[in-house]
Amino acid sequence: LVEGELVQLSAVSSGVADARKVIERARGSMFSTILFVDEVHRWSKAQQDVLLPAVEEGTVTLIGATTENPYFSLVSPLLSRCLLLRLEPLDAKDLRDLLERALRDPERGMGGDDLEADEEALTFLADAAGGDARFALSGLEAAALAARGAGERKIGRSLVEDAVQRRALVYDRDEHYDVISAFIKSLRGSDPDAGLFYLARMLEAGEDARFIARRMVILASEDIGPADPQSLLIANAAAHAVEYVGLPEAELNLAQAVIHLARAPKSNAAYRALGAAKREAADPRHRVPPHLRDTHYRGAEALGHGAGYVYPHDDPDGARDQRYLPETARGGYLEDR
């Protein structure tokens, strides 16, 4: 446990000058300095770099709070010198306990207002908060104000519902990547319900529908491919509908495509085959066979280009015995594991 002077800064309203003042004062202090920076992700990379020497020297003990993923929002040198603690959402029972304490506490809560809340109201508020204690307490306070205004002593569910209205979905950069990942994996795993759930979550959060459609087009070839070639047409049609029709109507087109892609048979043959071909094609030894080389310029024939080429339409067997791969290439990409 670190003991010393606690200095608080908000990255929203402070900058490099404020941080430097704290650091300079800490260097001349007999006591250790604990610098707490709220919303630390709001500082630019250059501003965060100012903290590095002080943290390395032990001049200040830095505590940063952020609602963003620190791996995205903090500079690597600073992050490497910090202990990362992830705060998880509270469960409904913890929130219920918190709300009940707030109702009873006479100093920091509403214990002096002679107000009560029924079980249904507290349960609804704890569920609606989504693990956020601040949202739950704000909702309770708003409901209490409404009850006082109406001359009531009891907070019912209807008052709480009116107070909180509709909670905005948490959909930051973390959620953007996590939800699209879950969406693609649900379609790959042939679960249409999960696919529709994550589609709805993205649409409700305001995700770019074109981004969703592009990922579905990719999945149609990466995870379905030759098992159901129609899937690529359907995914592409949904992407076109997003551009041509627009939201909210195009949500139905996206939902239809999600159901089809989830139910379609799966094959990653195209993905695997292309990967195998790319690995072999990267070898500089491979050369285009002479009989397949371009003959549409003067001097090509003298170089031996096209010699021995069999035109498939002139061959009863479609020139099946003709080799198209370089002699140094082994092929067999569709069977590659």
Side-chain angles (χ1 to χ4, degrees), residues 96-106 109-118 122 137 140 144 155:
R96 275 291 303 268
D97 293 342
L98 180 68
L99 292 170
E100 289 171 358
R101 288 204 307 271
L103 280 169
R104 295 191 303 266
D105 194 314
M110 302 167 190
D113 294 339
D114 200 23
L115 284 174
E116 298 179 359
D118 60 33
L122 292 179
L137 291 172
L140 180 63
I155 300 172

Side-chain angles (χ1 to χ4, degrees), residues 45-336:
K45 307 296 185 183
Q47 288 175 309
Q48 293 176 34
D49 285 339
V50 173
L51 298 171
L52 271 175
V55 172
E56 285 184 329
E57 297 163 2
T59 305
V60 298
T61 299
L62 174 67
I63 301 176
T66 175
T67 54
E68 300 287 331
N69 187 331
Y71 290 102
F72 293 138
S73 56
L74 297 185
V75 293
S76 297
L78 184 60
L79 186 60
S80 68
R81 290 160 176 79
C82 294
L83 175 65
L84 181 61
L85 300 175
R86 178 169 177 167
L87 303 181
E88 299 292 345
L90 298 174
D91 61 29
K93 181 182 181 304
D94 291 333
L95 289 172
R96 275 291 303 268
D97 293 342
L98 180 68
L99 292 170
E100 289 171 358
R101 288 204 307 271
L103 280 169
R104 295 191 303 266
D105 194 314
E107 297 180 4
R108 297 179 299 167
M110 302 167 190
D113 294 339
D114 200 23
L115 284 174
E116 298 179 359
D118 60 33
E119 291 294 314
E120 190 178 3
L122 292 179
T123 299
F124 172 81
L125 188 53
D127 291 339
D132 188 337
R134 289 178 297 183
F135 180 87
L137 291 172
S138 297
L140 180 63
E141 185 177 15
L145 290 172
R148 292 192 202 103
E152 299 178 12
R153 292 178 50 196
K154 192 162 190 175
I155 300 172
R157 173 166 175 159
S158 60
L159 281 177
V160 171
E161 287 180 343
D162 290 340
V164 300
Q165 294 296 318
R166 182 183 179 191
R167 178 172 171 77
L169 285 174
V170 175
Y171 198 81
D172 53 17
R173 182 157 46 173
D174 268 1
E175 284 289 298
H176 165 81
Y177 289 113
D178 288 345
V179 174
I180 195 62
S181 175
F183 175 67
I184 293 301
K185 288 169 182 171
S186 298
L187 299 187
R188 181 183 296 142
S190 302
D191 190 334
D193 284 339
L196 289 169
F197 171 83
Y198 291 116
L199 171 67
R201 184 171 181 84
M202 289 187 286
L203 292 173
E204 286 295 300
E207 179 63 84
D208 186 350
R210 294 171 298 180
F211 167 72
I212 301 171
R214 287 195 297 270
R215 295 304 303 266
M216 291 167 67
V217 171
I218 296 168
L219 176 132
S221 289
E222 181 179 356
D223 293 297
I224 299 173
D228 179 26
Q230 189 74 11
S231 289
L232 180 57
L233 301 179
I234 290 174
N236 194 58
H240 174 71
V242 169
E243 298 288 352
Y244 183 67
V245 178
L247 296 180
E249 290 82 359
E251 291 179 354
L252 291 172
N253 305 110
L254 290 172
Q256 178 183 345
V258 163
I259 294 169
H260 180 92
L261 296 179
R263 288 178 171 174
K266 304 299 188 293
S267 169
N268 67 346
Y271 174 80
R272 287 188 291 104
L274 178 60
K278 288 173 74 173
R279 286 191 293 274
E280 187 161 60
D283 190 331
R285 296 176 303 159
H286 304 314
R287 305 286 293 172
V288 175
H291 66 285
L292 298 181
R293 294 178 187 174
D294 181 29
T295 60
H296 291 87
Y297 62 91
R298 184 181 303 172
E301 185 176 350
L303 294 172
H305 291 195
Y309 173 67
V310 180
Y311 187 53
H313 297 292
D314 292 340
D315 188 280
D317 296 325
R320 292 193 184 97
D321 294 332
Q322 183 169 237
R323 183 173 178 87
Y324 295 95
L325 280 171
E327 291 294 335
T328 50
R330 65 178 180 83
Y333 309 129
L334 285 172
E335 289 74 39
D336 185 83

